Amino acid sequence: MRIDTQVGIIEAGPAGLLLSQFFALHSIDSVVIECRTQEYCETRVRAGVLEHGTVELLKEAGAAERLQRLGLQHSGVYLRVRGKDHHIHFRELTGGRTITVYAQQEVVKDLIALRLAADRRIVFETEDASLHDIEGPKPYIRYTKNGESFEIHCEFIAGCDGFHGVSRPSIPDSVLRTVDKLYPFAWLGILAQVAPSSDELVYASHERGFALLSMRTPEISRLYLQCEPDEDLHKWPDERIWSELRMRLATLDGWVLKEGPILQKGVTGMRSFVVEPMQYGRLFLAGDAAHIVPPTGAKGLNLAAADVRVLSQAFVSFFRSGDRALLDRYSEICLRQVWNAQRFSWWMTSLLHRLPNDGQFDRRRQTAELDYVVGSRAASQMLAENYVGLPFETL
Ligand code: FAD
Ligand code: DHB
């Protein structure tokens, strides 16, 4: 069966859904396809920290009603070094900017609800998606659902289908340059039914490895431990996780980690990955389809939103006046913000993790760097302005 639209969007993750919402606001027709179920998309536990600019974008998209009501606004984070907390005060160091803790799956839920309420097209549980004629003026997406074949004929395709999607591999190898870096550790993350033990996030540097205390709601905590890249979760019964967290998050003043039932556990690998360019013919990549950052510093979701800001404005100018200038500069503009986020995520990762083969020199250098970051206003400000998100480039 043939479906006609202006832009075909592959996926119902944050990038594709936000793009589709901006399209709806500007009367651009789009169809979103997604290989998972609606329930899966709305319950997949991932990121939780929204930068100032991401919150502003969601407000602009008309998708921030629940976020503004339920999101937890934070003015800073703590760096816990040798058992002592150092507060990095974002509001003070960045002229009033803050971050908001609000789960990625809630952002996804809000955007899906808006799309369904407006009766706009979104197809879940698609199979065998493939992209065709992306070099020409009339690209199309083919997929099947319940054994029936469909073709979405469109003017452009937005490939927002994450790291394992089909969009990026549709671009010829000879066109794409891939820059990739793997890290020799991963994060074991848990979601626990217990009130957060801190009013703001705690990034802890410890001899046994990095630990992070985060949260989702006043009743739900999210915690992470640095672990082996191929860590076997079976070796981590709940009590071992809490015991390790207690050790790595311990303070000199007897602070107590609150514990509760673990609702979910998972291991997230760490990599830095970028493809250049992020566009080819009539295909535009956004979000994890084009880049992955290591999670330290919480940039992944925010970077996906930053891509969408540029892509949505580029499409709006094109469909309004036929002006291709911004579309043609899409990759160049996004790659500047992507490399900034890569630089910062790499720096936060190197600052806080223990490397298996670190010698005395690297340990001492890391300690000196941590002391500098917490002791110098200029260095704290550098962390703060990157964490809350650098201002967007004017388009
Ligand atoms: P995704 O969210 O990956 O969405 C892609 C969508 O495409 C998915 O819904 C997928 O089902 C769909 N899809 C894929 N292939 C197809 C296909 N062939 N046909 C149709 N649909 C398809 N970032 C942080 O900032 N902090 C964190 O703590 C954090 N934790 C993470 C934990 C995990 C386990 C992972 C994987 C990522 C984490 N991230 C984190 C990164 C962050 O979640 C991503 O950067 C963000 O999800 C990017 O959004 P996206 O829309 O680009 O891609
Ligand atoms: C979270 C994840 C991050 O990668 C991070 O740096 C901070 C918080 C989180 O999931 O809450």
Side-chain angles (χ1 to χ4, degrees):
M1 196 175 116
R2 181 183 165 115
I3 300 167
D4 288 284
T5 187
Q6 286 172 290
V7 185
I9 302 178
I10 311 197
E11 73 104 351
L17 288 167
L18 183 57
L19 185 65
S20 74
Q21 175 63 13
F22 277 119
F23 284 166
L25 294 181
H26 290 93
S27 307
I28 297 170
D29 192 58
S30 66
V31 176
V32 179
I33 64 162
E34 164 62 50
C35 61
R36 304 285 190 162
T37 63
Q38 180 180 347
E39 194 203 349
Y40 183 91
C41 294
E42 293 181 347
T43 52
R44 179 168 38 193
V45 178
R46 284 185 167 183
V49 174
L50 305 185
E51 289 176 1
H52 180 89
T54 305
V55 172
E56 292 304 306
L57 270 181
L58 287 163
K59 281 192 208 163
E60 205 184 301
E65 189 274 317
R66 279 177 77 242
L67 161 63
Q68 286 179 282
R69 201 157 34 86
L70 304 173
L72 310 171
Q73 201 182 28
H74 286 192
S75 300
V77 292
Y78 296 99
L79 290 189
R80 190 164 286 177
V81 185
R82 297 186 293 278
K84 194 164 176 283
D85 278 346
H86 304 268
H87 190 236
I88 308 289
H89 201 305
F90 296 155
R91 211 190 273 280
E92 204 177 283
L93 292 164
T94 66
R97 291 185 151 217
T98 57
I99 52 162
T100 301
V101 173
Y102 188 65
Q104 174 169 330
Q105 71 268 26
E106 299 301 321
V107 173
V108 165
K109 209 182 279 175
D110 295 344
L111 288 164
I112 290 176
L114 282 170
R115 192 153 182 93
L116 293 176
D119 216 8
R120 293 183 186 273
R121 290 176 285 184
I122 178 163
V123 189
F124 291 97
E125 298 175 75
T126 60
E127 287 175 294
D128 304 324
S130 55
L131 282 62
H132 303 270
D133 292 351
I134 51 178
E135 293 95 346
K138 289 272 162 215
Y140 65 98
I141 302 166
R142 191 177 277 158
Y143 69 91
T144 58
K145 172 149 176 147
N146 300 330
E148 198 182 337
S149 291
F150 295 85
E151 280 184 3
I152 302 177
H153 288 258
C154 44
E155 292 181 53
F156 295 97
I157 297 174
C160 313
D161 46 352
F163 186 66
H164 301 287
V166 294
S167 300
R168 191 180 65 248
S170 307
I171 302 178
D173 286 346
S174 56
V175 173
L176 279 191
R177 204 171 32 248
T178 301
V179 187
D180 202 1
K181 177 179 170 61
L182 281 171
Y183 295 81
F185 41 77
W187 280 10
L188 192 167
I190 62 163
L191 200 63
Q193 182 127 38
V194 61
S197 310
S198 168
D199 56 340
E200 289 179 343
L201 272 65
V202 179
Y203 285 85
S205 160
H206 193 275
E207 278 301 313
R208 298 179 66 87
F210 169 71
L212 170 62
L213 189 164
S214 180
M215 61 212 66
R216 288 293 177 268
T217 69
E219 297 82 33
I220 303 280
S221 298
R222 176 88 167 134
L223 297 116
Y224 297 96
L225 286 169
Q226 175 184 348
C227 64
E228 297 300 320
D230 52 355
E231 195 71 62
D232 179 2
L233 271 180
H234 294 106
K235 295 191 182 144
W236 286 87
D238 296 3
E239 181 37 41
R240 181 175 173 208
I241 295 177
W242 286 118
S243 156
E244 194 63 37
L245 283 166
R246 276 196 300 273
M247 282 190 270
R248 296 193 196 180
L249 289 165
T251 65
L252 298 174
D253 64 4
W255 169 90
V256 176
L257 175 66
K258 292 182 194 148
E259 299 173 27
I262 294 182
L263 306 171
Q264 197 259 357
K265 294 180 202 177
V267 172
T268 305
M270 303 271 259
R271 75 187 317 156
S272 302
F273 173 91
V274 182
V275 288
E276 302 170 343
M278 289 169 56
Q279 63 195 86
Y280 175 68
R282 297 244 159 183
L283 169 64
F284 291 79
L285 302 177
D288 280 14
H291 41 72
I292 300 286
V293 288
T296 335
K299 289 282 166 240
L301 167 61
N302 292 295
L303 208 47
D307 289 348
V308 167
R309 181 188 77 102
V310 182
L311 192 55
S312 58
Q313 285 205 33
F315 277 128
V316 168
S317 337
F318 176 79
F319 285 115
R320 188 177 286 156
S321 59
D323 181 0
R324 265 202 76 121
L326 201 49
L327 270 183
D328 290 340
R329 288 176 51 227
Y330 169 70
S331 182
E332 171 211 320
I333 297 169
C334 285
L335 285 171
R336 267 198 291 280
Q337 54 199 25
V338 168
W339 278 108
N340 245 321
Q342 290 291 6
R343 171 190 59 72
F344 178 67
S345 306
W346 171 85
W347 176 78
M348 278 279 277
T349 302
S350 322
L351 181 72
L352 293 163
H353 291 75
R354 281 276 168 273
L355 277 155
N357 299 320
D358 264 2
Q360 279 304 317
F361 176 83
D362 290 314
R363 289 283 171 90
R364 302 277 168 89
R365 183 195 48 73
Q366 196 185 46
T367 306
E369 179 129 27
L370 276 164
D371 288 344
Y372 176 56
V373 169
V374 299
S376 151
R377 183 177 167 89
S380 299
Q381 192 165 25
M382 184 279 283
L383 191 161
E385 74 168 4
N386 279 280
Y387 199 105
V388 298
L390 295 171
F392 291 137
E393 189 172 321
T394 307
L395 298 178

